[in-house]
Amino acid sequence: MEYTIQEMIAHKGRVLEETDYVCCNRDMLNFRLISGDFYEWNGGKLHFKQCADVMDFQQAAEAFPAFASVQYKSREKFPYFVGGLDTLTEAMERGETIAVEGGPCLFGEHEVTVSVRLKGGGEERLFDYANGKAYLDGTAFAESEGLADYLRLNGERVERIDFQQNKQGLTPQEYLNLRYPFEIAAALRGSLVVPIPDMSYRKYLLYALDAIPENVRKQALEQFDEILNRIADMYLDVIGKLQARFQIARFACVHRRDPAALKLWYEKRAAYIERNKVLRSLTRLPEKLEPVKDYISMPALPFYLFGVENILEVNSMDETDSYRKCKKAHKNALHMGCILIPELLSGDGIHMFYFAPLQWKEYGNYEGYESPA
């Protein structure tokens, strides 16, 4: 579903003058969003997925003054999805520390492709790794055939699996999802944890390769790990530059090549995530269970690593469900709030950057302080 905040206001039965958005920036009101209709009214504001109010930049800054320090040049064009800030503000007034957690996905559609060849001159199929779907032709995907099911179904017949990396850098969306956590953490003078989810992307492959011959499995994992490392290094480079600029005193970047951080994370989260009540709510797809366990526990990383109990999740609005489930799983241990930013449309005006075909990904090096977005 594609809409703007102004269109959603009308869809929900009000005119602009009957809402808290009457004085809002018109760019924000007309920012194009793609997601389902998960809105209801909370007073004069739209309430998204029962956990976040839609605000413009000024409203979010009034609700959480540290947000006013954000200098990202397009900041006033975006609607923000904001929740739980009153609790965090009260914690700050008591002199308690606030930690920030957030960061982008590792890669999106069309950025890593997978070719699978069967033995005996059998067929060769091409899949997209990010969505797990088979390519039909060009950029179209089959809806009924997934990579994990295909590999597990064909098992011993699989002769070769190869991966191709098409990702050449960070998109404006990925940079945005790094920049905001750094800016806000610097303003709060608190902790910051940025996860690079390469470990989560790998877990999907481990499940998919379960029935594959050992020699093919070994070759596939080695090749995929090389791609994971190259892409993670892109993020580590940009993260290093942001850390040099913002100088967060207590900072951690969690990724697959930091086994000590992973061990601590998994040990600490077990009491909250490895419960039947939580596990049943995560996913019905077995190939996604382990990655989803990562995604819904990532917002709590400052608690696991630093013992901070007040956490601000700064992420994409697509992570609303992860934030909500994490908050629910840790409800007696943490105080959590969120500032979630929208997904940007790519240059074709149709796809968000995550889903955009390669010609619309718009990779940049982000050497300067300002983003091209």
Side-chain angles (χ1 to χ4, degrees), residues 13-248:
R14 296 190 186 182
V15 296
L16 187 63
E17 289 73 19
E18 297 173 328
T19 74
D20 292 349
Y21 307 116
V22 63
C23 296
C24 285
N25 182 304
R26 289 301 183 266
D27 287 335
M28 170 270 188
L29 290 172
N30 294 308
F31 190 94
R32 293 168 62 197
L33 298 165
I34 299 176
S35 75
D37 176 6
F38 302 108
Y39 295 88
E40 57 189 5
W41 288 106
N42 181 20
K45 292 184 175 64
L46 289 167
H47 194 58
F48 184 66
K49 290 193 173 184
Q50 301 183 327
C51 67
D53 288 335
V54 179
M55 300 184 186
D56 71 359
F57 181 79
Q58 296 301 325
Q59 290 169 336
E62 288 174 9
F64 198 69
F67 191 56
S69 66
V70 169
Q71 297 299 308
Y72 191 85
K73 69 178 182 180
S74 298
R75 62 192 178 276
E76 296 190 3
K77 296 181 180 180
F78 303 148
Y80 297 94
F81 297 75
V82 172
L85 298 189
D86 52 347
T87 301
L88 296 184
T89 300
E90 291 170 3
M92 292 176 64
E93 291 172 351
R94 295 192 298 267
E96 298 176 13
T97 299
I98 308 295
V100 175
E101 188 279 337
C105 296
L106 189 66
F107 55 81
E109 290 185 359
H110 308 291
E111 293 188 306
V112 174
T113 56
V114 190
S115 63
V116 181
R117 188 174 73 235
L118 302 186
K119 294 178 181 178
E123 66 182 14
E124 185 166 344
R125 302 297 303 275
L126 190 66
F127 295 84
D128 180 80
Y129 190 86
N131 64 27
K133 296 178 181 179
Y135 278 97
L136 293 174
D137 58 77
T139 59
F141 297 113
E143 292 299 324
S144 59
E145 186 173 44
L147 173 62
D149 288 341
Y150 183 81
L151 290 176
R152 291 173 71 89
L153 177 65
N154 287 285
E156 291 291 331
R157 298 177 60 211
V158 176
E159 180 179 65
R160 179 84 183 181
I161 302 172
D162 286 295
F163 299 86
Q164 179 176 321
Q165 176 186 334
N166 303 312
K167 184 176 183 60
Q168 301 302 316
L170 272 61
T171 66
Q173 181 73 55
E174 290 159 346
Y175 179 77
L176 180 75
N177 286 4
L178 288 174
R179 174 71 177 273
Y180 267 70
F182 270 96
E183 290 215 45
I184 297 171
L188 290 169
R189 295 183 175 87
S191 307
L192 172 63
V193 180
V194 176
I196 299 175
D198 51 355
M199 78 298 289
S200 309
Y201 277 58
R202 192 179 194 266
K203 289 174 182 177
Y204 172 82
L205 183 61
L206 288 173
Y207 175 89
L209 295 178
D210 187 57
I212 301 301
E214 180 59 30
N215 63 319
V216 180
R217 174 187 171 91
K218 183 174 182 294
Q219 166 265 320
L221 281 172
E222 288 177 352
Q223 193 179 121
F224 188 64
D225 284 348
E226 290 178 3
I227 290 176
L228 287 181
N229 291 346
R230 288 198 296 268
I231 294 176
D233 285 345
M234 296 177 186
Y235 286 99
L236 290 170
D237 178 63
V238 174
I239 288 168
K241 292 171 182 174
L242 287 169
Q243 173 63 350
R245 166 68 180 85
F246 291 104
Q247 295 289 306
I248 309 300

Side-chain angles (χ1 to χ4, degrees), residues 99 132 261 324:
R324 178 174 50 81

